Structures are given as structure tokens and as C-alpha cells.
């Protein structure tokens, strides 16, 4: 839920959302928790890369006019909404004890189980 809340503060706390997933992953005692924490870590790292890339692109495109910046901003808003929905689905499935796999577009597999 920390990741979901981070989008409401302009994405800045999202820069640190990978830390809880890493701590849980390294301290997990069962395989189920470790798998879900690894996926959450991949999800957080992917989102961090998207945020940093989008900010760099927005600052570069400021010189070309506001239309490009607005377009990137709208794309980020839709991406943020999709990540919130996927995060809620993942948390719900994990709470029920079911396996959930993030779509690769939202969670590139940097860390393996």
C-alpha cells in the first residue's frame, strides 16, 4: 500500500518503495513470501526506472514546448493508474494466498526467485 500512496505525493516516495520489498525478500522464511516480495521488488525497481526516465524526458522536452510535456504527463498519469490497479490486485491475491505474476511491462524481472 505504500507504493499506492506514493503516487498521491507526486511519485517522490516511489523512489524509496523498493526498500520494504528488499527487506521482506531478504528476511522471508517461506517460499511464498519470498516469491511475492521478489515480484514486488521487481515492480518497484521498474517503476523507479520509469519515473526517472520520464522526468529526464520531460526536462529535455521543456525546450520543445508545453505540448510534449503535457503528453508525457498524461502518459504518466495513465501508467500510474495502471500500476495502482495492478498493485491492488497483487496485494489482494497475496492476501488470499494465491499466486500473482505482474505483467512484464510493469515489472521487468531484474531479480529471480
Amino acid at each position: 500500500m505504500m507504493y499506492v500512496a506514493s503516487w498521491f505525493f507526486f511519485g517522490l516516495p516511489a523512489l524509496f518503495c523498493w526498500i520494504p520489498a528488499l527487506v521482506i525478500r531478504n528476511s522471508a522464511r517461506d517460499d511464498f513470501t519470498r516469491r511475492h516480495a521478489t515480484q514486488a521488488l521487481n515492480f518497484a525497481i521498474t517503476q523507479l526506472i520509469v519515473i526517472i526516465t520520464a522526468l529526464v524526458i520531460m526536462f529535455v522536452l521543456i525546450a520543445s514546448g508545453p505540448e510534449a510535456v503535457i503528453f508525457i504527463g498524461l502518459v504518466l498519469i495513465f501508467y500510474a493508474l495502471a500500476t495502482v490497479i495492478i498493485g491492488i490486485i497483487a496485494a489482494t491475491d497475496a492476501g488470499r494466498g494465491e499466486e500473482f505474476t505482474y505483467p512484464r511491462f510493469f515489472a521487468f524481472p531484474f531479480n529471480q526467485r
Side-chain angles (χ1 to χ4, degrees), residues 38-61:
T38 301
Q39 286 196 14
L41 180 61
N42 290 335
F43 185 63
I45 291 171
T46 303
Q47 303 317 308
L48 178 65
I49 292 170
V50 168
I51 290 170
I52 291 172
T53 304
L55 288 174
V56 168
I57 290 172
M58 285 178 76
F59 282 121
V60 169
L61 292 179

Side-chain angles (χ1 to χ4, degrees), residues 2 10 12 19 24-25 32 34-35 38 45 53 55 57 68 79 86 93 95-96 103 107:
M2 181 180 159
F10 305 107
L12 295 178
I19 295 172
I24 292 171
R25 180 182 183 269
F32 178 78
R34 184 171 174 78
R35 278 194 313 270
T38 301
I45 291 171
T53 304
L55 288 174
I57 290 172
Y79 190 80
I86 289 172
D93 285 355
R96 282 189 255 150

